[in-house]
Amino acid sequence: MKVTRCVIAALFLAVSARGADEVIALKASRIFDGKSNALLQNGVVIVEGDKIVEAGSNLPIPSSAHVIDLGDATLCPGFIDAHTHLTSDFSGDYSQRRLKEVDLNVSEQAIIATTHARATVEAGFTTVRDLGSRFVGSHEFVDVALRNSINKGVVIGPRMLVATKGIGSTGGHFDPTSGFRDFLFGREPDYTDGIADGPDEIRKAVRFEVKNGADVIKAAVSGGVLSLADEVDTPQLTSAEMAALVDESHRLRKKVAVHCHGDEAAHEAIEAGVDSIEHGSFMKPETLTLMKKKGTFLTPTLMATEWIMGRLDNYPPALQAKAKAAAAARSDMFRNAVKMGVKISFGTDAAVYPHGQNAKEFKLMVDLGMRPIDALKSATANDAELLGIGQKIGTLEKGKLADVIAVPGDPSADITATERVTFVMKEGKIIRQGPPAVQKHGNNASPPLTAPAD
Ligand SMILES: [Zn+2]
């Protein structure tokens, strides 16, 4: 009886000691601060409430601190993925996915999305820029709902910057009715679905999305791989439409990310002043030179092509041909971008492959010539800059939000260590220490959704 009482008292003390102002000291053999060119030994991050109070090498640990020693591991800023679609899963058989897309209730798809959010944060990605969420025949803003639920603590997931519907032209990559029988959904999509033609309608679409909660504007300026009614590299917005898109978004203080495989469309989009080119498969060296000059980010999404190329039988012949063409071009494009010093953001197109495998992008980047330390920076400081929240996250520094993860060993020696995250803290709260709570989805494990992504 006495023992039980002691145990209860000890438990009570342990729980009550974990108050909001408890100081936590995270220790590991190494630390990557998000911006330095090398890891430091004997990493320490001191956390109080939701903020980092101090971070560095061999720091003294306050006697009142609760110490978490993560051993032979590297402390890193929480990773950022600048290109996800958390409300969707396109990873299985393409035709089955299209059928389920019109079968499943959107509310059910929203509930499934909460498991994608959890798998992502448990993989060490504490922030994502979610670039498009659309349900054919529906006007729901599931990405906004998921973001808000995570912010309120109702759902466990990464901090999200959301784009709502992507904006694109009639019949273009984002047209959700492309490939279906004409008027199957009773009407042509319009600006309320993100489909807009002409500069004025583009402005209206941007305004409509911001009104409904968009943090960032996404548009398709060229064709894509997983869409049925377009070629992969044709321009899909005019220069006048792109100028209106960028002007209206920047007036409303929103950044612009554009889906773009084709070189001509990329050149025009960079000239128009977009903030990032997503994919960029066919970009020529001259276009990369322009990107470097203008400071435009490249989000390469190597994982998306990698996944599709590994399972070509999942896709109809027309899409297989587009995937092959994009895959054949993108490796040279990426190598050139690295050599030329174009700003590279880390983004994976999660949803094209199962959520939670985001970190596999690191090895693909390193295999194509990027230094491991630069790949790590792309997913931390670079992405924080692109997202416009570099003052809050992206590095382990005094005053920043305590988004801290740990990977085993030394990721600068073995970049695949990033795929085996052992500890995740977001805003000072421990989300994971040890094995993940959510099993990663298999290829066909969760119902696929919505309109084309890649
Ligand atoms: Zn995408």
Side-chain angles (χ1 to χ4, degrees):
M1 190 63 188
K2 216 177 204 176
V3 174
T4 313
R5 230 180 284 141
C6 281
V7 170
I8 290 169
L11 276 175
F12 176 75
L13 282 173
V15 172
S16 59
R18 297 286 186 90
D21 294 333
E22 186 200 17
V23 176
I24 298 176
L26 304 172
K27 283 178 67 179
S29 305
R30 285 162 291 273
I31 183 167
F32 167 63
D33 66 10
K35 53 180 185 164
S36 302
N37 275 322
L39 309 189
L40 299 174
Q41 297 301 307
N42 301 318
V44 177
V45 179
I46 315 277
V47 175
E48 189 172 351
D50 62 356
K51 298 247 168 48
I52 295 171
V53 235
E54 210 55 73
S57 173
N58 289 312
L59 296 179
I61 292 176
S63 57
S64 61
H66 169 69
V67 179
I68 299 176
D69 190 343
L70 296 157
D72 181 18
T74 302
L75 294 167
C76 301
F79 292 144
I80 306 168
D81 189 330
H83 191 135
T84 65
H85 303 276
L86 290 189
T87 61
S88 307
D89 181 351
F90 319 117
S91 64
D93 178 82
Y94 186 85
S95 302
Q96 277 181 23
R97 189 266 288 178
R98 274 175 59 91
L99 183 59
K100 279 187 179 163
E101 181 179 326
V102 291
D103 270 358
L104 271 186
N105 184 300
V106 175
S107 303
E108 187 175 345
Q109 303 193 42
I111 290 168
I112 294 162
T114 64
T115 67
H116 302 157
R118 183 145 191 176
T120 303
V121 77
E122 289 191 342
F125 288 80
T126 49
T127 304
V128 302
R129 186 177 63 157
D130 204 65
L131 289 183
S133 170
R134 173 190 278 113
F135 300 82
V136 62
S138 156
H139 278 129
E140 296 294 323
F141 288 88
V142 176
D143 55 352
V144 172
L146 185 60
R147 176 198 66 195
N148 294 352
S149 302
I150 291 169
N151 287 348
K152 288 172 185 162
V154 176
V155 170
I156 295 173
R159 178 180 303 103
M160 292 176 77
L161 271 69
V162 305
T164 73
K165 335 278 173 190
I167 295 173
S169 59
T170 295
H173 179 60
F174 284 170
D175 187 331
T177 63
S178 283
F180 287 111
R181 191 182 70 226
D182 57 324
F183 292 100
L184 177 63
F185 301 97
R187 63 174 178 85
E188 273 293 286
D190 61 19
Y191 74 96
T192 63
D193 308 281
I195 302 308
D197 301 289
D200 287 350
E201 262 197 51
I202 296 272
R203 284 185 194 274
K204 194 167 184 181
V206 171
R207 290 169 180 172
F208 175 77
E209 297 194 348
V210 172
K211 167 181 158 182
N212 283 289
D215 302 299
V216 56
I217 297 299
K218 168 84 177 295
V221 301
S222 94
V225 173
L226 298 183
S227 42
L228 285 163
D230 59 357
E231 292 182 39
V232 67
D233 62 340
T234 49
Q236 295 189 343
L237 294 189
T238 64
S239 292
E241 287 170 328
M242 289 188 209
L245 172 83
V246 173
D247 180 61
E248 194 61 38
S249 304
H250 285 176
R251 278 169 186 275
L252 301 178
R253 300 206 180 98
K254 306 299 175 199
K255 297 212 181 192
V256 182
V258 292
H259 159 102
C260 182
H261 287 282
D263 183 65
E264 184 184 345
H267 203 280
E268 291 175 1
I270 297 158
E271 288 281 16
V274 302
D275 298 284
S276 64
I277 296 282
E278 310 298 306
H279 320 302
S281 309
F282 299 97
M283 285 196 294
K284 293 179 181 153
E286 306 81 76
T287 307
L288 294 169
T289 304
L290 182 65
M291 271 186 108
K292 185 169 181 197
K293 191 174 128 210
K294 299 266 278 182
T296 317
F297 276 94
L298 166 67
T299 316
T301 69
L302 305 172
M303 263 298 277
T305 8
E306 199 70 12
W307 177 266
I308 295 169
M309 291 304 288
R311 291 150 193 85
L312 271 179
D313 289 348
N314 274 347
Y315 306 89
L319 303 196
Q320 292 182 16
K322 295 206 280 184
K324 283 182 192 163
R330 66 87 150 134
S331 298
D332 280 345
M333 181 282 297
F334 182 78
R335 280 193 204 95
N336 287 338
V338 171
K339 270 189 225 139
M340 293 166 69
V342 171
K343 288 207 268 187
I344 294 177
S345 38
F346 182 103
T348 67
D349 220 349
V352 172
Y353 65 88
H355 295 280
Q357 300 185 22
N358 316 55
K360 289 185 178 172
E361 180 87 9
F362 283 110
K363 180 172 188 298
L364 299 176
M365 294 168 114
V366 169
D367 284 351
L368 289 176
M370 200 169 190
R371 294 188 309 161
I373 199 82
D374 291 331
L376 291 168
K377 280 189 213 173
S378 77
T380 50
N382 283 17
D383 269 6
E385 181 193 338
L386 170 61
L387 271 56
I389 49 178
Q391 74 287 8
K392 284 190 189 155
I393 60 162
T395 56
L396 297 177
E397 283 181 287
K398 184 178 177 164
K400 293 221 172 163
L401 288 172
D403 289 359
V404 191
I405 64 167
V407 302
D410 177 350
S412 66
D414 174 10
I415 195 67
T416 68
T418 53
E419 298 167 24
R420 298 182 292 280
V421 165
T422 55
F423 175 86
V424 180
M425 172 183 273
K426 183 185 154 211
E427 290 184 22
K429 293 194 183 74
I430 297 169
I431 288 189
R432 183 180 149 201
Q433 192 171 357
V438 173
Q439 293 301 313
K440 285 173 186 170
H441 294 293
N443 185 353
N444 292 311
S446 57
L449 320 162
T450 74
D454 185 38

